[in-house]
């Protein structure tokens, strides 16, 4: 009698394991969902006739790893307990989605778990690519995209050998559990693939479930280790929390101590800075006092020098005034001598100015328009310009025969008049002492040049 065929469906949530099991048994015994949330809890075994009318088989549907409602470890642990009760497994059917070109990390995790659980796991694995439509349009699209069964077989094999082991030789079949029930060709293609898969599964050696005990113990040890680690983590967290509390307290104490030390240090620095500033201010004051004394000394010295210079200039001015007074006295003496040396004439003659011209003020407008001698400076003045009771002296002393002896003396004294009868600037210069007169009655050439 042929042994019962037992197929275990493995795969991620959403690859169509439940639908595949229902089609194989020919009845709705597995709940299939339309989204990624698994409808199968951990592991669910259902038995019946192949396609509902042939040999007796059993299908074990498993919850997908990385499922939203469970953990991988709990899933594997319950699956191991179920497989142990079965006694043997004919084949593991690894269901893949033919529309997905990349395998998810949960698929690799599942394969690594079963590889560790069964030493001969890959000798019992059949890869079944689901969602591989067999209608003419789908076949044509795959052909145009150069995506045939052989290309996908090579890709799957290369991924398994690169990730699991280079010695893997896996069987790969293609089907579409979601075929069109109204299409006889699609149904026949699906049933042919499943029949070939069952024939291949029956050719495998039966797996003794006693080998699962070691795996179970190992998983339990891992679970215990996990729980121990969790407890240790909690204890460490509590310990660390106490340490953190103590450290915070120590930190606060240290902060307070450092704050006090900082304040003390800061006060010392402030006092030191104040002392330095006080010394600097005192030094600046001393420097200002010394500078004030130095400036006062320089001022006194300069004032003394200026006073000496002023006194010297004053003495020189006094000497100049004295010399001018002596020169004027000499002029008066000389003029007096001239008056005494000449005889009296009945008619006064106007004085001829240099160049043979006569002043307009004495051009025959009466006997009062004659030149008089200034008693203060010994100079000639115009009586018509300035009323005076002085006696005419020098004008009447000029000889009538035209002798220029005394006229030269008068000219050398710089006594000249302007057209309006006023004395010109050189005559004034002589009167003010800016141009000196020598003892012989002539103007001093040196002072005359400076004046000009």
């Amino acid at each position: 009698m042929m042994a019962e065929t037992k197929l275990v469906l493995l795969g991620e949530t959403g690859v169509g394991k439940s639908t595949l099991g229902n089609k194989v048994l020919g009845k709705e015994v597995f709940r299939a969902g339309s989204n990624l949330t698994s409808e199968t809890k951990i592991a669910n075994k259902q038995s019946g006739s192949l396609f509902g009318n042939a040999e007796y088989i059993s299908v074990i549907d498993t919850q997908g790893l990385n499922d939203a409602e469970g953990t991988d470890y709990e899933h594997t642990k319950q699956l191991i307990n179920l497989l142990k009760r079965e006694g043997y497994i004919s084949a593991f059917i690894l269901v893949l989605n033919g529309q997905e070109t990349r395998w998810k990390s949960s698929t690799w995790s599942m394969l690594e778990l079963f590889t560790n659980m069964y030493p001969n796991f890959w000798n019992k694995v059949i890869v079944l690519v689901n969602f591989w439509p067999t209608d003419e349009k789908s076949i044509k699209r795959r052909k145009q995209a150069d995506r045939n069964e052989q290309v996908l077989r090579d890709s799957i094999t290369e991924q398994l050998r690169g990730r699991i082991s280079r010695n893997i030789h896996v069987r790969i079949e293609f089907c579409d559990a979601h075929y069109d029930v109204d299409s006889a060709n699609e149904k026949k293609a699906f049933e042919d693939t499943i029949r070939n898969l069952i024939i291949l599964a029956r050719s495998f050696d039966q797996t003794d479930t006693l080998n699962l005990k070691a795996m179970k113990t190992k998983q339990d040890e891992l679970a215990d280790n996990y729980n121990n680690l969790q407890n240790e983590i909690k204890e460490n967290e509590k310990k660390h929390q106490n340490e953190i509390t103590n450290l915070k307290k120590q930190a606060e104490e240290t902060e307070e101590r450092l704050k006090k030390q900082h304040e003390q240090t800061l006060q010392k620095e402030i006092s030191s800075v104040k002392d330095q500033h006080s010394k600097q201010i005192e030094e600046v004051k001393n420097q200002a006092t010394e500078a004030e004394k130095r400036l006062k000394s320089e001022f006194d010295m300069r004032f003394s020098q200026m006073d000496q210079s002023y006194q010297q200039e004053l003495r020189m001015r006094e000497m100049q005034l004295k010399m001018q007074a002596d020169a004027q006295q000499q002029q008066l003496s000389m003029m007096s001598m001239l008056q005494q040396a000449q005889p009296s004439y009945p008619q006064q003659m106007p004085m001829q100015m240099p160049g043979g011209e006569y002043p307009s003020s004495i051009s025959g407008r009466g006997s009062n328009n004659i030149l008089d001698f200034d008693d203060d400076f010994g100079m000639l003045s115009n009586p018509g310009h300035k009323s005076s009771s002085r006696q005419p002296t020098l004008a009447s002393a000029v000889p009538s025969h035209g002798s220029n002896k005394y006229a030269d003396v008068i000219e050398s004294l710089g006594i000249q008049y302007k057209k309006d009868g006023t004395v010109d600037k050189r005559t004034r210069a002589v009167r003010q002492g800016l141009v000196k007169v020598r003892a012989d009655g002539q103007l001093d050439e040196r002072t005359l040049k400076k004046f000009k």
Side-chain angles (χ1 to χ4, degrees):
M1 181 178 178
M2 185 179 295
E4 179 186 359
T5 302
K6 298 178 182 180
L7 304 178
V8 178
L9 304 181
L10 303 176
E12 296 180 352
T13 301
V15 297
K17 298 190 301 296
S18 298
T19 301
L20 177 63
N22 292 332
K23 291 293 178 68
V24 170
L25 295 176
K27 57 183 178 179
E28 296 291 328
V29 291
F30 300 110
R31 297 179 60 185
S34 59
N35 51 33
L36 295 181
T37 301
S38 176
E39 297 293 337
T40 304
K41 300 300 181 182
I42 307 304
N44 183 12
K45 179 183 177 181
Q46 297 292 334
S47 300
S49 299
L50 179 61
F51 306 129
N53 55 12
E55 63 268 27
Y56 189 81
I57 65 171
S58 295
V59 177
I60 301 174
D61 189 13
T62 64
Q63 180 181 8
L65 295 181
N66 283 0
D67 188 76
E69 299 180 2
T71 62
D72 294 345
Y73 175 74
E74 292 296 330
H75 169 91
T76 305
K77 185 176 180 179
Q78 295 186 32
L79 179 59
I80 289 173
N81 292 331
L82 176 62
L83 295 179
K84 182 180 178 180
R85 292 194 299 269
E86 293 298 323
Y88 70 92
I89 298 298
S90 299
F92 294 93
I93 310 301
L94 177 59
V95 183
L96 301 178
N97 186 349
Q99 304 301 321
E100 294 288 340
T101 58
R102 296 177 60 185
W103 290 13
K104 297 180 180 179
S105 60
S106 56
T107 302
W108 293 115
S109 299
M110 176 188 66
L111 295 177
E112 290 172 354
L113 285 172
F114 279 92
T115 300
N116 294 329
M117 184 175 66
Y118 288 103
N120 297 322
F121 173 71
W122 289 102
N123 294 330
K124 298 293 183 178
V125 173
I126 299 174
V127 176
L128 181 61
V129 179
N130 196 14
F131 295 101
W132 193 264
T134 56
D135 61 281
E136 293 182 359
K137 290 184 179 180
S138 299
I139 294 172
K140 185 177 180 180
R141 283 196 299 268
R142 288 196 297 268
K143 186 176 180 180
Q144 291 176 350
D146 195 18
R147 190 170 180 268
N148 54 44
E149 295 177 357
Q150 187 58 44
V151 172
L152 192 54
R153 280 192 178 95
D154 294 340
S155 175
I156 293 172
T157 301
E158 185 63 27
Q159 291 184 66
L160 290 173
R161 290 178 177 178
R163 186 70 177 262
I164 304 299
S165 173
R166 301 300 301 179
N167 298 322
I168 289 178
H169 297 280
V170 68
R171 293 82 172 168
I172 302 174
E173 297 294 335
F174 295 83
C175 76
D176 184 14
H178 299 78
Y179 62 86
D180 185 2
V181 295
D182 296 329
S183 174
N185 292 333
E186 293 183 25
K187 179 180 180 181
K188 182 178 183 301
F190 172 75
E191 293 179 350
D192 290 344
T193 300
I194 298 303
R195 288 190 179 95
N196 292 334
L197 185 147
I198 292 174
I199 294 172
L200 183 61
R202 289 173 177 172
S203 67
F204 296 154
D205 294 335
Q206 302 304 307
T207 302
D208 189 357
T209 56
L210 295 178
N211 293 333
L212 299 176
K213 185 177 180 180
M215 182 61 188
K216 177 179 180 297
T217 303
K218 185 177 180 180
Q219 293 294 336
D220 289 339
E221 290 177 355
L222 291 175
D224 293 339
N225 292 335
Y226 174 79
N227 293 330
N228 293 334
L229 287 174
Q230 290 293 328
N231 294 331
E232 186 178 353
I233 289 173
K234 290 180 180 179
E235 292 178 358
N236 289 333
E237 287 180 351
K238 185 177 180 181
K239 182 180 178 180
H240 291 164
Q241 187 64 35
N242 294 333
E243 292 179 353
I244 290 172
T245 303
N246 294 332
L247 289 174
K248 286 183 177 179
K249 185 177 180 180
Q250 294 177 4
E252 291 176 356
E253 293 175 354
T254 303
E255 183 180 2
E256 186 66 24
R257 185 175 65 257
L258 292 176
K259 185 178 180 181
K260 291 180 180 180
Q261 293 178 357
H262 177 70
E263 290 178 353
Q264 294 175 358
T265 303
L266 186 61
Q267 290 296 330
K268 290 181 180 179
E269 292 179 354
I270 291 174
S271 300
S272 177
V273 170
K274 286 183 177 179
D275 294 340
Q276 292 179 1
H277 287 177
S278 298
K279 292 179 180 179
Q280 291 177 357
I281 292 172
E282 190 65 26
E283 291 178 358
V284 170
K285 287 183 178 180
N286 294 334
Q287 293 175 1
T289 302
E290 293 177 358
E292 183 179 1
K293 291 180 180 179
R294 185 174 63 254
L295 291 174
K296 184 177 181 181
S297 176
E298 292 178 357
F299 176 78
D300 293 342
M301 183 178 64
R302 291 184 180 181
F303 183 78
S304 177
Q305 293 176 354
M306 291 175 63
D307 184 64
Q308 292 177 2
S309 176
Y310 175 76
Q311 294 295 335
Q312 185 177 0
E313 290 180 358
L314 186 60
R315 287 193 296 270
M316 292 180 63
R317 181 60 179 166
E318 289 178 353
M319 293 177 61
Q320 291 178 356
L321 292 176
K322 185 177 180 181
M323 292 177 62
Q324 291 176 3
D326 294 342
Q328 292 175 0
Q329 186 64 35
Q330 291 178 1
Q331 291 179 4
L332 291 174
S333 300
M334 185 176 63
M335 296 303 295
S336 176
M337 291 173 58
L338 291 174
Q339 291 178 358
Q340 294 176 2
Q342 295 298 327
S344 302
Y345 290 92
Q347 185 179 358
Q348 295 179 341
M349 295 180 63
M351 183 180 65
Q352 184 178 6
M353 301 301 293
E357 297 179 357
Y358 294 95
S360 59
S361 58
I362 54 174
S363 58
R365 290 182 292 176
S367 59
N368 293 332
N369 293 332
I370 60 176
L371 295 175
D372 290 338
F373 192 81
D374 194 315
D375 293 337
D376 295 333
F377 296 98
M379 302 296 292
L380 295 177
S381 61
N382 185 2
H385 178 67
K386 181 180 179 181
S387 60
S388 174
S389 59
R390 301 182 181 94
Q391 295 296 326
T393 54
L394 187 59
S396 60
V398 179
S400 59
H401 49 76
S403 175
N404 290 331
K405 178 178 180 180
Y406 302 104
D408 292 338
V409 174
I410 295 173
E411 184 178 357
S412 65
L413 293 176
I415 302 173
Q416 297 184 8
Y417 283 84
K418 296 181 181 180
K419 291 183 179 181
D420 58 356
T422 60
V423 180
D424 69 344
K425 62 180 180 179
R426 191 170 67 172
T427 305
R428 292 184 181 274
V430 173
R431 295 180 61 182
Q432 294 174 1
L434 299 178
V435 178
K436 298 181 180 180
V437 181
R438 296 191 306 221
D440 58 358
Q442 299 295 324
L443 296 178
D444 183 62
E445 295 295 334
R446 186 177 60 181
T447 58
L448 184 61
K449 290 180 179 180
K450 289 182 179 181
F451 171 77
K452 290 181 180 180

